[in-house]
Amino acid sequence: MSLPGSTVEAPVPGARPARAHLFTAGSVEDYRRVVAEGVDRVAARVAAADRPFTGIGPDELAPRVAGIDLDRPLGDTAAALDELHDVYLRDAVLFHHPRYLAHLNCPVVIPALLGEAVLSAVNSSLDTWDQSAGGTLIERRLVDWTAERIGFGPTADGVFTSGGTQSNLHALLLAREEAYARVVGGAADRPARPEVLSRLRVITSTAGHFSVQKAAKLLGLGADAVLTVATDTGRRMRTDELAETIDRCRRDGQVVMAVVATAGTTDFGTIDPLERIAEICTAAGVWLHVDAAYGCGLLVSPTRRHLLGGIERADSVTVDYHKSFFQPVSSSALVVRDRRVLRHATWHADYLNPARMAERRIPNQVDKSLQTTRRFDALKLWLTLRIMGPDAVGALFDEVVELAAAAWRLLAGDPRFEVVTRSQLSTVVFRYLPAGAGRDVVDDANLHAREALAASGAALVAGTKVDGAHYLKLTLLNPETTLDDIAHVLDLIAEHASWYARTRTTAELSSPVG
């Protein structure tokens, strides 16, 4: 019975009592049945997919979603799944398909999906020991394992995060506090905190991730706090410019709080010269953070681990398992060389993690994390390692790196295209070059080709800018993708782009002058 004035609808006729939907000891059979129905729908969708996307646009899909009355439950699992198919599953972008070639989204391994099912049902929260118990220890063991793979010593530590953006923010928070402590610790007259923060600078390359600038803004630094240095012809940070920038900051009374090197740039898949950067940072007493969100798969590569040489000298490292470890989103971590710096993110709350717990050595992960309530995402990686092993994960990553090299050679030998720097990982940046076309036409033809390809749903590629010009990008993270798949997509791109260039040229020639 509704309260006076209530707008709550009466229960659906024949609907089950609310408590019957809770996952409890009394509902385990319903749990098995309902989850199995969902799994069957997803499996059928993936099995039947002949393309990575339907090509639907927001103008068509948005009214379907907006038209659903969330105050009127369907009361039936099958009906809800039918509706979900209509508003989501049918049009979902499938990273599992071999012609999804766009962003840093990977197909996921089955052991990780098993972990996802377990962690969602148990619903541990990784903030305190009394909410997660063994989950706390599993996450800590995985952080230790990752630190060992990086080459850090026994003082290392870290915590799982939501992704690379959060990991980079967390790292720069620690670097900011360490830099602030250095400045005020040696000052005869303790300067005001705002005055110190206004002098702090972060240095990264022009190919670095945008989250560095976002982190600086969130950390209360000035708009000019992030200084970018140029990259060389291989799109790697120029270490001569890095050294000059650090020296210039010192002469200008500025404090370089961190250098952010990249091990796997988003656009080019290139790795900065980590060893030389580490030498420069050590000599200058500057915190070195390595954003290895993309390149962390090399930590388990049987053949390419050497490409991360020097990463062990970093102060902090970002790793995204949900990129090159084939894990479902979210699965990321920040790992630091010296666990003591994690204190900068610690805040004790009497109801949650009072200081006396730390004194008793009770392991509360919230003492390290920017988040409080947090999923047990580490379980996915744990089951992946326990079932597949790290060598198998690394072998999958090696496959896509080798595929990217083959794709680069294919493009380099095709006169229809211009290809940019060869990636050390699994991206390929290129563009179609219509014969005799000017820059504007070339730019617009490639933009059109990408949009037309997506609208067809036949394949998805990404786009970016290189030196101000529009380019296309393949991001290869699916070992099921073949060189034939790539060749077919290139033919489709050429078809769309050449049609646009011909049509535009004809229109311009036929339009009246003046």
Side-chain angles (χ1 to χ4, degrees), residues 229-230 237-247 276 280:
V229 299
M237 182 189 288
R238 285 187 51 177
T239 56
D240 57 338
E241 284 204 12
L242 171 63
E244 291 169 4
T245 303
I246 292 175
D247 288 342
R276 177 58 185 145
I280 292 169

